[in-house]
Amino acid sequence: MSQPEPNVDEVVKTIAEETDTPTETVSKMYADMLANYREEARVFDYVPLFAAKKVRDKLRHSSKQKH
């Protein structure tokens, strides 16, 4: 049984709030990451979850380097 797709707007909003990043930036990063994962995936159930984690990690890492 496949996992339901998460609400993209909610995912983007949550990541933007957690990382203090504009939603437009997060939205673009998430869409790009999702496309990259879907291009190479054989199983698609957790692709949105992996994409969100990767975007969150990248933004957290880049914010640490600014401080």
Side-chain angles (χ1 to χ4, degrees), residues 29-41 47 51 58:
M29 289 179 73
Y30 182 74
D32 290 347
M33 193 61 61
L34 205 53
N36 287 342
Y37 275 116
R38 283 189 171 143
E39 187 175 297
E40 298 176 13
V47 167
K58 280 186 164 199

Side-chain angles (χ1 to χ4, degrees), residues 1-18:
M1 184 160 95
S2 66
Q3 297 293 318
E5 285 282 322
N7 182 321
V8 173
D9 292 335
E10 287 179 24
V11 171
V12 168
K13 181 181 174 196
T14 300
I15 295 171
E17 289 172 357
E18 289 175 0

Side-chain angles (χ1 to χ4, degrees), residues 18-50:
E18 289 175 0
T19 60
D20 195 30
T21 304
T23 55
E24 297 81 18
T25 302
V26 175
S27 181
K28 172 79 170 106
M29 289 179 73
Y30 182 74
D32 290 347
M33 193 61 61
L34 205 53
N36 287 342
Y37 275 116
R38 283 189 171 143
E39 187 175 297
E40 298 176 13
R42 293 182 189 191
V43 177
F44 296 91
D45 290 352
Y46 298 101
V47 167
L49 186 68
F50 294 143

